[in-house]
Amino acid sequence: MLAGSSAKPERLDIIRATVKLVIERRQLHPNVEFALGALCFAHDLANGTGEAVFVIARSAGWIAHALEEYERGPA
């Protein structure tokens, strides 16, 4: 999806090269944290944007988990 966005082409080239290099050298594929960083880099987003998105997304998961635990009650 990032490749089809309005991101700066030279930044997309850097992202593609990074992914390719890590796959070749370490046999690792991008994870969600890399994707978020790539999105921020590709669109030259403000410092801290990635962290803010991560914290908001993680908070939603923590809240959902807490609600499940409250429903379950004490173990």
Side-chain angles (χ1 to χ4, degrees):
M1 290 174 63
L2 186 57
S5 72
S6 62
K8 298 175 180 179
E10 61 274 4
R11 289 187 177 228
L12 291 176
D13 291 342
I14 292 168
I15 294 165
R16 283 189 199 97
T18 302
V19 169
K20 182 180 177 195
L21 187 64
V22 172
I23 291 171
E24 288 173 358
R25 292 189 179 180
R26 302 291 304 224
Q27 292 75 50
L28 296 173
H29 293 270
N31 60 18
V32 69
E33 285 85 6
F34 180 85
L36 181 55
L39 174 72
C40 292
F41 174 72
H43 290 281
D44 200 22
L45 299 179
N47 287 341
T49 300
E51 290 87 346
V53 170
F54 179 84
V55 167
I56 291 167
R58 184 61 60 118
S59 296
W62 287 335
I63 291 167
H65 178 70
L67 291 172
E68 289 173 355
E69 292 298 316
Y70 287 136
E71 287 177 6
R72 184 182 320 173

